[in-house]
Amino acid sequence: MAFETLIVERPTTAPGVALIRLNRPEALNALNSVLLTELGQALAQAQGDDTVGCIVLTGSPKAFAAGADIKEMSDKSYADMFKADFFTAQARAIETVRKPIIAAVSGYALGGGCELAMMCDFILAADTAKFGQPEINLGVAPGIGGTQRLTRLVGKSKAMDMILTGRMMDAEEAERAGLVSRIFPADQLVDEAVKVAGKIASQSPLATAMNKELVNAAYETTLTTGVALERRLFHSLFAFDDQKEGMAAFVEKRKPAFKGS
Ligand code: HXC
């Protein structure tokens, strides 16, 4: 599928990885309706393709994404936003992908850009990355999960500081705060993210999907319910050939060859 605002690649160095680049350089990858709709389509395509085990979402060296497209939103009325249920369907299309998505963030990840990165499963950052929720400067609020996900990731104090002042956080502060899992030099970020994704794609896709579901459940349930779900899914993994293969390979001191069955 050809896209107007995205470039989708299959890196030869990592079979099993789909690399999606946001591509609106003229607007620092600002998220407009076309881009978010296309992103949902590209993710659905990756989800439906058995040869894809992990997805990397990235932008350009200057910007992962500088936010939702302010020029698209500026003249909208409350009725317009409400009738369109602005970006709800597009966000759902990202939130419901069952394969892992790594955000590889270089440069600005602001507003909707920061929210998009947080919708991914984890964030790898370039040393040039800058995160922020500057919506307050526009007289609005984050609208695709920022107040909720940032607070869960970095805690109330830093989330309030970021959201009420609109200030940016650099990569080191973001890593210290728990927003980012690792930092790489900017010129190596995408290669390193593809390498990490390649490692994930080499695992059992069944176990990977269940592990993703379980970590996400930690945000939605009580500890008792989450641990009970974990135990059930852990037990259920013993129904798959991949569990037999993974454990046999360990005992036989060889690499496992997972089949996804
Ligand atoms: C539309 C944008 C944009 C955006 C940048 N551009 N961000 N267009 N929406 N969010 C455009 C600029 O208008 C400009 O176009 C071009 O990209 C380059 O940007 P500059 O500002 O010239 O670059 P620079 O001086 O380097 O500054 C970079 C920047 C700044 C600090 C990132 O662009 C900026 O502050 N952007 C807005 C960040 C923001 O407020 N994000 C939150 C948006 S609200 P021209 O045509 O002039 O060259 C949001 C709500 C989410 O995200 C909720 C959704 C439901």
Side-chain angles (χ1 to χ4, degrees):
M1 204 184 284
F3 296 105
E4 187 188 318
T5 61
L6 305 175
I7 299 169
V8 181
E9 297 165 46
R10 294 295 301 269
T12 49
T13 50
V17 176
L19 173 63
I20 302 177
R21 292 179 195 269
L22 308 178
N23 187 36
R24 291 190 71 211
E26 73 286 0
L28 302 182
N29 293 330
L31 309 171
N32 64 5
S33 305
V34 175
L35 184 149
L36 283 178
T37 302
E38 289 191 338
L39 181 56
Q41 291 165 348
L43 291 171
Q45 203 172 44
Q47 178 63 44
D49 182 342
D50 281 347
T51 68
V52 174
C54 189
I55 299 152
V56 174
L57 180 61
T58 195
S60 69
K62 182 164 180 190
F64 177 73
D69 192 316
I70 300 168
K71 293 165 191 167
E72 184 181 68
M73 289 185 296
S74 60
D75 290 333
K76 289 198 188 295
S77 66
Y78 173 52
D80 293 333
M81 297 300 266
F82 183 77
K83 272 196 278 187
D85 205 2
F86 197 75
F87 287 168
T88 299
Q90 290 90 337
R92 290 289 296 155
I94 301 161
E95 289 160 349
T96 52
V97 174
R98 296 171 73 202
K99 290 178 182 174
I101 310 175
I102 301 172
V105 174
S106 197
Y108 297 111
L110 302 178
C114 186
E115 294 173 290
L116 175 60
M118 291 190 291
M119 276 185 231
C120 297
D121 295 304
F122 60 99
I123 301 175
L124 300 175
D127 47 14
T128 56
K130 287 196 184 311
F131 298 87
Q133 296 289 161
E135 288 89 344
I136 192 75
N137 298 327
L138 303 168
V140 291
I144 40 175
T147 58
Q148 305 305 298
R149 289 198 176 92
L150 188 65
T151 306
R152 282 164 165 79
L153 285 166
V154 308
K156 179 179 172 184
S157 185
K158 200 173 277 285
M160 281 289 190
D161 172 6
M162 300 296 299
I163 289 167
L164 298 184
T165 66
R167 77 174 176 90
M168 294 185 210
M169 169 152 77
D170 67 16
E172 289 208 351
E173 184 180 359
E175 187 187 32
R176 276 199 309 275
L179 176 61
V180 155
S181 76
R182 300 189 230 174
I183 301 175
F184 294 102
D187 60 351
Q188 293 164 29
L189 174 72
V190 174
D191 286 348
E192 291 294 338
V194 165
K195 223 184 278 176
V196 174
K199 168 73 180 155
I200 292 171
S202 74
Q203 312 285 17
S204 163
L206 301 163
T208 296
M210 285 203 191
N211 276 284
K212 170 168 171 163
E213 192 175 326
L214 284 167
V215 175
N216 282 332
Y219 283 97
E220 307 286 350
T221 58
T222 62
L223 181 62
T224 306
T225 306
V227 170
L229 177 67
E230 182 191 84
R231 195 156 306 129
R232 286 290 169 252
L233 290 192
F234 173 69
H235 293 164
S236 76
L237 283 162
F238 286 73
F240 296 129
D241 294 340
D242 282 352
Q243 172 268 327
K244 304 287 173 292
E245 170 61 12
M247 293 195 177
F250 175 81
V251 173
E252 292 160 18
K253 300 187 189 297
R254 60 175 174 83
K255 271 192 155 185
F258 295 115
K259 296 197 307 260
S261 57

